[in-house]
Amino acid sequence: MSYAVRVLLGNVPRLLFGAISVAVVALCVITSAAAQNTAVTGSVPGGAASNEVIRLSLQDAVNMALRYNLGAIESGENVQITRGQRLLALSNLLPEVSAGVSENVAQTSLATFGFKNLQGIPSVVGPFSYGAVDASLSQTLFSFESIQRFRAARTAEQAAQLNYKDILDVVTLTVGNAYLQVIETNSRIEAQQAQVRNAQALYDQAVGEYQAGTSPRIDATRTEVQLHSEEYNLSVARNNFAIAKLTLARAIGLPLGQAFDTADQLPYSDINPPTVDDALNTAYHSRSDFRAALDSEKAAQQTLSATKGERWPVVAMNGDYSDVGTTFGHSNGNFNFQAGVRIPIFTGGRIKGDITQAEAAVRQRKAEAENTRGQVEYDVRTAFLNLSADKEQVDVAQKNVALANENLARSKDRFISGVTDSVEVVQSEQSLASANDQYITGVYNYNLAKLMLARALGVARTSYKQYIGGN
């Protein structure tokens, strides 16, 4: 049984509360990811569904998500967009060369130009023809603005690549959380099935004793209500499990309608995390979103420098050569060459406006970088707090399960001996179910806390196995 749960949950309010508490944790994780990219919970389904039920490991799920998750796809395309922008900026610094060949046939009426009845001159000239071969070259010899805009575009491309790596970390966190939820909801089904069996056995015993005249009707009625409550809880648990599987399939791009089972159970296992100071140092060097924020600030500063460079002179040259004639054997060469310097003198405030906007953009990127720095520290410290608290909660839940099992065994003995009625047994079963519910939730939260620590350190994509296991 997943998470080594021996018995199950309890009444309807307790089941709903457990489901809501887990949903709140999951919502926080998805909200954190969605703050960076709302597409990480979606995907582009790949391939066709097979008739087989595939066994999906955590590694399989992560690998599929990195290929089909919509957030990963869009972020990868953003890198290509910034690469194109860099190439466009580079083109302003490189020469442009073009060549062409043409054949021209024309006929002209001189009357359309006002020449009428001229002695010895025909009113219509032509038809006549001539051919031309030409080539042209243009080159910006010096433009400080273009140089800085190219540097800014290159830095922006580096930032986009870092953002892509960060999205891969977010996708890993999202998929890992969805996989853990499938395991957690499956554990609740197994535990709830055990609880239904216990409630059925208690009901059968109460009915037998009532028919034998050794217990009142109220005991049979009370145990029947408990049985129906546990059956209701089992239906809710199965529905939550089915939804959790759909959520996972949606995030990783499984073919539509593909049936699967999880291959990893990811039970409770402890880790030895680094110190907070070491973790912060690692995060500042490894978190791609923080490094991308620094590059975005640098790109904004380079754009500001390029904007100020609009005041600088631009040195450029261009030239062309053509060979024109009625035939290429009877043709003449023509050429033109021009070089010059263009200096902006008065632009009506355009350059000042561009500089004002660029300066504001620099301040924005700087503020965003500082905010990301603070977010990194917040994520690391929060992850350590959650890790410590969840470990303590799992330890307490384990003790509660042992005590609840012992208390249930004694209540059953007292009921069989006729010392007490079914109320005590039902209460003991609900206490055990609550303890098991806490244990299931605790293990889920602890595994999620380990995964969120990996994300906080910026190593979720490369080291998730080290933190939560999986094949």
Side-chain angles (χ1 to χ4, degrees):
M1 181 183 298
S2 301
Y3 296 156
V5 176
R6 295 180 289 277
V7 201
L8 181 74
L9 301 145
N11 52 28
V12 175
R14 176 192 47 73
L15 176 64
L16 293 178
F17 177 77
I20 290 173
S21 63
V22 172
V24 169
V25 174
L27 180 62
C28 291
V29 175
I30 298 303
T31 301
S32 176
Q36 302 175 64
N37 193 326
T38 56
V40 294
T41 56
S43 64
V44 179
S50 65
N51 295 326
E52 300 179 357
V53 179
I54 65 174
R55 289 185 59 79
L56 188 71
S57 68
L58 176 59
Q59 181 175 349
D60 294 335
V62 171
N63 290 341
M64 287 191 65
L66 298 181
R67 182 177 179 183
Y68 298 113
N69 184 272
L70 183 59
I73 292 173
E74 289 188 342
S75 184
E77 295 305 321
N78 285 338
V79 174
Q80 297 302 316
I81 291 173
T82 56
R83 183 168 300 161
Q85 292 171 344
R86 175 181 61 81
L87 293 175
L88 287 175
L90 178 61
S91 68
N92 293 326
L93 299 173
L94 299 178
E96 292 188 9
V97 180
S98 61
V101 59
S102 63
E103 179 67 25
N104 301 274
V105 177
Q107 177 176 287
T108 302
S109 173
L110 296 181
T112 59
F113 298 99
F115 299 101
K116 298 179 180 179
N117 302 320
L118 296 177
Q119 183 107 18
I121 299 178
S123 60
V124 176
V125 178
F128 59 90
S129 64
Y130 64 94
V133 176
D134 64 88
S136 63
L137 167 68
S138 62
Q139 167 74 65
T140 299
L141 300 178
F142 175 78
S143 171
F144 184 77
E145 176 191 358
S146 297
I147 293 173
Q148 290 301 96
R149 291 198 183 281
F150 167 69
R151 290 174 177 173
R154 183 174 57 189
T155 306
E157 181 186 4
Q158 295 170 355
Q161 291 172 340
L162 290 170
N163 278 324
Y164 175 64
K165 293 180 180 179
D166 182 65
I167 287 298
L168 297 186
D169 253 24
V170 174
V171 168
T172 302
L173 172 63
T174 303
V175 172
N177 172 61
Y179 198 96
L180 289 173
Q181 281 190 298
V182 172
I183 296 173
E184 182 263 345
T185 51
N186 185 53
S187 297
R188 294 182 186 279
I189 290 178
E190 295 176 355
Q192 189 63 43
Q193 289 172 338
Q195 191 73 6
V196 169
R197 290 193 295 268
N198 285 344
Q200 182 69 57
L202 181 62
Y203 170 68
D204 292 341
Q205 183 177 350
V207 169
E209 292 182 356
Y210 167 70
Q211 292 174 346
T214 58
S215 66
R217 174 63 183 173
I218 188 64
D219 280 346
T221 302
R222 186 183 297 115
T223 55
E224 184 178 6
V225 171
Q226 180 67 17
L227 173 60
H228 293 328
S229 295
E230 299 303 343
E231 289 173 340
Y232 177 87
N233 290 343
L234 179 59
S235 176
V236 173
R238 285 172 173 165
N239 183 66
N240 291 338
F241 175 64
I243 292 176
K245 291 184 70 175
L246 287 176
T247 301
L248 175 60
R250 186 79 181 90
I252 66 177
L254 270 180
L256 300 177
Q258 176 65 59
F260 72 96
D261 289 326
T262 53
D264 297 332
Q265 293 304 315
L266 304 178
Y268 174 78
S269 61
D270 202 1
I271 62 170
N272 293 317
T275 64
V276 175
D277 290 338
D278 289 341
L280 286 172
N281 290 332
T282 300
Y284 286 133
H285 288 87
S286 301
R287 282 280 291 262
S288 296
D289 55 342
F290 177 58
R291 294 164 56 200
L294 294 178
D295 275 354
S296 295
E297 180 186 355
K298 180 180 178 182
Q301 292 172 341
Q302 291 170 329
T303 300
L304 173 60
S305 178
T307 305
K308 293 179 178 179
E310 293 179 18
R311 299 185 185 279
W312 287 46
V314 175
V315 181
M317 57 80 64
N318 62 77
D320 62 79
Y321 178 84
S322 60
D323 191 31
V324 183
T326 55
T327 65
F328 291 120
H330 299 80
S331 61
N332 296 299
N334 301 317
F335 69 89
N336 177 55
F337 177 80
Q338 181 182 13
V341 178
R342 180 170 296 274
I343 303 173
I345 298 175
F346 177 72
T347 59
R350 177 185 59 81
I351 296 178
K352 178 61 177 178
D354 290 343
I355 292 175
T356 301
Q357 291 180 343
E359 288 175 340
V362 169
R363 291 192 294 268
Q364 286 180 330
R365 301 295 88 77
K366 184 175 182 179
E368 290 169 359
E370 289 304 311
N371 174 69
T372 305
R373 184 191 301 274
Q375 186 65 45
V376 169
E377 180 168 354
Y378 172 84
D379 290 345
V380 170
R381 294 189 183 278
T382 301
F384 271 88
L385 290 173
N386 288 335
L387 196 67
S388 177
D390 292 335
K391 185 178 185 303
E392 291 178 0
Q393 291 167 11
V394 171
D395 293 339
V396 172
Q398 285 178 321
K399 296 176 183 178
N400 285 341
V401 169
L403 292 173
N405 271 313
E406 182 181 347
N407 185 55
L408 177 60
R410 290 178 180 177
S411 296
K412 286 182 177 180
D413 290 342
R414 287 164 57 83
F415 179 68
I416 293 173
S417 302
V419 177
T420 186
D421 57 16
S422 61
V423 174
E424 181 179 326
V425 180
V426 170
Q427 290 176 342
S428 297
E429 285 188 338
Q430 291 178 352
S431 296
L432 177 59
S434 179
N436 280 325
D437 185 46
Q438 291 175 353
Y439 181 71
I440 293 173
T441 302
V443 173
Y444 164 77
N445 288 340
Y446 185 67
N447 280 332
L448 181 58
K450 292 190 292 184
L451 187 59
M452 293 185 72
L453 175 60
R455 159 59 184 159
L457 297 178
V459 296
R461 169 67 189 95
T462 57
S463 304
Y464 66 91
K465 288 185 182 180
Q466 177 184 340
Y467 284 83
I468 63 172
N471 296 328

